[in-house]
Amino acid sequence: MVRRLTSVSPFTEFRKSCVTILEDALSKTLPRASVLSFMFAVPPSPGFGELSSSICFELAKKIKKTPLELAKQIVKVMNVSPFPLIQSTQAAGGGYINFHADYAELSSMTFKSAQILDTEYGHVKTDEPKSIIVEHTSVNPIHPIHVGHARNPVLGDALARILTAHGHKVSRHYYVDDVGRQSAVIAYGYEKLGKLKPEGKLDHSIGTIYTITSCITEIQRLKRELDQAKESAPAEEVTKLQQELDDWASAAVDLEGRFPQLFNELLGAINKDKNPEHRVNDLVRGYEAGEEEAKQLIREVCQICIEGFRETLDRAEIFLDSWDWESSFAWNGDVARTLDELKKTPYVFRVGDVLEFDAEKVVQDFDLKEKLGLRKGYEVPSLTLMRADGTTLYTTRDIPYSLWKLQRVEKVINVVGMEQKLSQMQLKLTLYALGHRDIAENLIHFAYNLVTLPGYVMSSRRGRYITMDEVMDEAVRRAYEEVTKRSPHLPDEQKRQISDIVGIGAMKYALVEVDPAKPVTFTWDRVLDFEKNSAPYIQYSHARACSILRKASGKPKNPDYSLLTKPKERDTIVMLARFPEVFLDAAKNLRPNTIADFANALADKFNSFYTALRVIGAEPVELGDARLALVDATRIVLRNALNLLGIVAPERM
RNA sequence: GGGCCCGUGGUCUAGCCUGGAUAAGACGCUGGCCUGCGGAGCCGGAAAUCCGGGGUUCAAAUCCCCGCGGGCCCGCCA
């Protein structure tokens, strides 16, 4: 057997050795026992080794022995000598078999691998590289990206980075939702203001114009509806309309107070129109139909807003490869064609002039109930494809877009909030209906839960939201205070550079750290915690590792890894060796938060290590050299882990 | 009414997919550690009916069933 000196995944080498040795031992002890899989667990404490098997609990049932007796018997026939990574095996507890790693071998392999692979250590490549589109962010171009949205770009970007590191060819797409009433409303307001490019941050200005325009037009619309309703409609409906009108009226007061000049300018201009509704509706219809005037106007406003988005995302180092316009699928006829195709299937029915898609029938015909994780009795609601007036709906237009994406790549990951779970499923079902069963299965909805603010109801109606820009500003400002306090000697330029890295890293970490299925409550405390369990804490550990390496004179010359016997050393080594497996799990199962968790845990171990044990000047020199190699490997792993999340690892802070 | 997601020390989170040994970490509280590689740090302490009740299993925070609490969805909005 050739002894391997390096590996893309040192802990996996150890794991494989354990499987082999256990298989051998089992075939000697219980030749007739058939074991399907060898699952190993990480024991609760290092005293139990690095891996353990509970297989004896199962096997003992079939023979007349206790699990512990069997474990002892199996361990007895094990010969670890052909396996350099295994130091020893033992039977323990009620019947576990524990496998202890040889730390000298494991650390040697781990440190060498980290040094040689460097920026690639841990980024284990897939055997089946695929082309993948990650669609993320896709905030409507009518207001800025706010904290409620911010989890999307951060998660999407981390996913894209992880999948790229895994060897896939990833393309990051932004779906610009420019069709529909909202875009027409902002275009209308923009037109009324004389089509001047707004001052200040573009998406923020667009957001304000949109909110005010929408407020004024809604009030006028409701007033008219109310007048009509008073004539004919039941009292109940009148009350409802009145309530809605009151809501908007109070929003108007609020908005006028905050933006008096803009509000009155828009109010004056809109009041000159007899019925703004006509113009807005005209724009909605004209834009979807591809009429030149509407096209120019709406595209122009959207572009302005997107320019602002790009600035925000650039600052967060989140980059997109493609901006896909919803309207282009309407204009090139794809939407109409898709609708025609769908109409030919048995899954579309009419309710009056409205077209409905029978999602439930597709589930039944294609036998998808179990596959989609649906309960037996559950009926998937139908999806409206076309309004009575012939215009389409959002999800309808998403069908040709999804096909377009799926025809270009082998897998599409849509980073979309989980509140859209149903429509994402209906979308997938339309693909089945259209006969694209094969590619439909390549469409993945990466769902995440909402971000909420305590004691602060975000309201797009009132234009009250905390923008991602504000979060970054505040995070960077606080980081600057910290840097100034802690490293007053640094030149200001460097302080600013560091506070950017720290502040933005802190924001990203807070949004990516939590399991996407769980909601995040946004508080400044949470995001800007510069202490434990945060990006700054991990970044600090990285900076300290760099600092030690700077102070040490040169590379380790003659390390003796067998001297790394302290628990604090071993804990760190094992984590470094495990990083590739953690990465693999994150990449295969799309779990970016596990990377954040790992990085934090490694920083914990490393901090304990270097405060307790001296690196530079340790005696003997071979020990100092071995520890130096450990520090360098930690630096590499911390940096590689942070980079997967789009967080920069600073060398000083 | 139906469906999905979440529920773990006072607070926030990991673990749940793939069951396994004393449920891990952080904040807060509390007691220590700066003439030794950067104190954004380290070492200790108190603190948990893993929402409740059944079930499966040698073994349940984890799997199944029934509840409870919170959020979301079921639109000719996006």
Side-chain angles (χ1 to χ4, degrees), chain A residues 452-477:
Chain A
T452 53
L453 293 96
Y456 186 106
V457 181
M458 281 204 289
S459 155
S460 17
R461 175 174 293 197
R462 299 193 175 212
R464 287 208 178 271
Y465 33 67
I466 296 178
T467 64
M468 186 169 162
D469 292 311
E470 289 171 282
V471 175
M472 289 192 283
D473 285 345
E474 180 66 9
V476 169
R477 192 188 63 72

Side-chain angles (χ1 to χ4, degrees), chain A residues 557-598:
Chain A
K557 290 172 194 71
N558 191 22
D560 181 350
Y561 301 123
S562 69
L563 299 174
L564 299 175
T565 55
K566 296 276 194 329
K568 286 176 195 303
E569 292 163 332
R570 303 192 313 207
D571 288 354
T572 315
I573 292 163
V574 171
M575 286 210 74
L576 296 171
R578 278 196 179 124
F579 176 52
E581 287 196 350
V582 172
F583 168 80
L584 216 50
D585 173 60
K588 281 186 178 163
N589 302 313
L590 306 182
R591 301 186 341 142
N593 56 307
T594 58
I595 302 279
D597 206 53
F598 170 84

Side-chain angles (χ1 to χ4, degrees), chain A residues 190-255:
Chain A
Y190 174 71
E191 183 181 46
K192 287 285 145 199
L193 290 172
K195 302 191 202 175
L196 297 173
K197 192 162 180 177
E199 290 171 13
K201 182 91 195 322
L202 295 172
D203 51 332
H204 291 218
S205 311
I206 291 291
T208 308
I209 298 171
Y210 171 76
T211 306
I212 296 173
T213 308
S214 145
C215 181
I216 295 170
T217 52
E218 277 301 294
I219 286 174
Q220 296 199 350
R221 183 181 64 82
L222 284 165
K223 273 184 184 162
R224 273 193 306 277
E225 273 186 35
L226 198 57
D227 285 346
Q228 279 184 358
K230 277 176 184 161
E231 307 282 319
S232 53
E236 198 181 306
E237 194 172 314
V238 174
T239 318
K240 207 179 136 202
L241 284 170
Q242 185 62 54
Q243 218 161 39
E244 218 179 315
L245 181 58
D246 290 347
D247 268 6
W248 277 109
S250 100
V253 172
D254 192 37
L255 287 167

Side-chain angles (χ1 to χ4, degrees), chain A residues 470-531:
Chain A
E470 289 171 282
V471 175
M472 289 192 283
D473 285 345
E474 180 66 9
V476 169
R477 192 188 63 72
R478 293 199 196 191
Y480 183 79
E481 272 178 20
E482 289 291 313
V483 183
T484 307
K485 198 160 72 194
R486 296 170 203 274
S487 308
H489 56 282
L490 291 174
D492 195 60
E493 195 191 332
Q494 199 172 355
K495 282 187 208 161
R496 298 211 175 269
Q497 195 188 339
I498 292 165
S499 31
D500 263 10
I501 291 173
V502 171
I504 288 166
M507 177 195 72
K508 286 188 173 183
Y509 189 87
L511 295 172
V512 81
E513 170 221 14
V514 180
D515 182 342
K518 299 188 182 184
V520 167
T521 307
F522 178 92
T523 62
W524 290 111
D525 267 5
R526 177 193 203 106
V527 176
L528 303 173
D529 182 3
F530 289 150
E531 305 209 344

Side-chain angles (χ1 to χ4, degrees), chain A residues 333-626:
Chain A
D334 278 1
V335 174
R337 271 188 293 277
T338 309
L339 210 45
D340 283 344
E341 287 294 310
L342 264 178
K343 278 193 241 173
K344 290 179 202 154
T345 72
Y347 304 108
V348 174
F349 60 95
R350 274 181 187 279
V351 179
D353 289 331
V354 173
L355 282 189
E356 290 282 326
F357 172 68
D358 191 346
E360 174 61 22
K361 191 169 163 63
V362 176
V363 171
Q364 283 174 11
D365 287 359
F366 289 81
D367 197 19
L368 297 170
K369 204 127 261 190
E370 204 176 330
K371 190 165 197 167
L372 297 175
L374 303 170
R375 285 203 176 202
K376 303 116 243 163
Y378 176 68
E379 262 190 50
V380 183
S382 70
L383 170 74
T384 304
L385 294 168
M386 198 178 80
R387 297 186 183 93
D389 67 2
T391 55
T392 57
L393 288 101
Y394 177 80
T395 307
T396 313
R397 301 187 293 268
D398 208 353
I399 303 167
Y401 177 49
S402 299
L403 281 171
W404 180 87
K405 288 186 287 187
L406 287 161
Q407 279 154 2
R408 268 155 192 78
V409 293
E410 294 157 278
K411 194 192 258 191
V412 171
I413 298 173
N414 288 344
V415 181
V416 172
M418 60 175 231
E419 71 277 7
Q420 291 193 47
K421 191 168 172 160
L422 175 60
S423 60
Q424 286 283 315
M425 183 168 69
Q426 289 167 328
L427 171 65
K428 189 178 227 180
L429 291 170
T430 63
L431 303 180
Y432 277 93
L434 286 166
H436 297 298
R437 181 183 193 130
D438 47 343
I439 58 176
E441 307 200 347
N442 300 331
L443 183 68
I444 294 164
H445 175 202
F446 182 89
Y448 61 93
N449 214 317
L450 299 169
V451 177
T452 53
L453 293 96
Y456 186 106
V457 181
M458 281 204 289
S459 155
S460 17
R461 175 174 293 197
R462 299 193 175 212
R464 287 208 178 271
Y465 33 67
I466 296 178
T467 64
M468 186 169 162
D469 292 311
E470 289 171 282
V471 175
M472 289 192 283
D473 285 345
E474 180 66 9
V476 169
R477 192 188 63 72
R478 293 199 196 191
Y480 183 79
E481 272 178 20
E482 289 291 313
V483 183
T484 307
K485 198 160 72 194
R486 296 170 203 274
S487 308
H489 56 282
L490 291 174
D492 195 60
E493 195 191 332
Q494 199 172 355
K495 282 187 208 161
R496 298 211 175 269
Q497 195 188 339
I498 292 165
S499 31
D500 263 10
I501 291 173
V502 171
I504 288 166
M507 177 195 72
K508 286 188 173 183
Y509 189 87
L511 295 172
V512 81
E513 170 221 14
V514 180
D515 182 342
K518 299 188 182 184
V520 167
T521 307
F522 178 92
T523 62
W524 290 111
D525 267 5
R526 177 193 203 106
V527 176
L528 303 173
D529 182 3
F530 289 150
E531 305 209 344
K532 291 195 178 176
N533 199 19
S534 70
Y537 175 76
I538 302 162
Q539 288 168 322
Y540 178 72
S541 306
H542 176 265
R544 288 298 301 272
C546 291
S547 167
I548 293 170
L549 292 163
R550 269 197 305 273
K551 289 232 161 75
S553 39
K555 293 270 167 197
K557 290 172 194 71
N558 191 22
D560 181 350
Y561 301 123
S562 69
L563 299 174
L564 299 175
T565 55
K566 296 276 194 329
K568 286 176 195 303
E569 292 163 332
R570 303 192 313 207
D571 288 354
T572 315
I573 292 163
V574 171
M575 286 210 74
L576 296 171
R578 278 196 179 124
F579 176 52
E581 287 196 350
V582 172
F583 168 80
L584 216 50
D585 173 60
K588 281 186 178 163
N589 302 313
L590 306 182
R591 301 186 341 142
N593 56 307
T594 58
I595 302 279
D597 206 53
F598 170 84
N600 186 64
L602 176 58
D604 275 345
K605 296 291 183 208
F606 177 65
N607 289 344
S608 298
F609 156 76
Y610 77 70
T611 42
L613 304 168
R614 220 167 147 78
V615 176
I616 297 166
E619 295 286 342
V621 180
E622 290 76 16
L623 173 61
D625 278 356

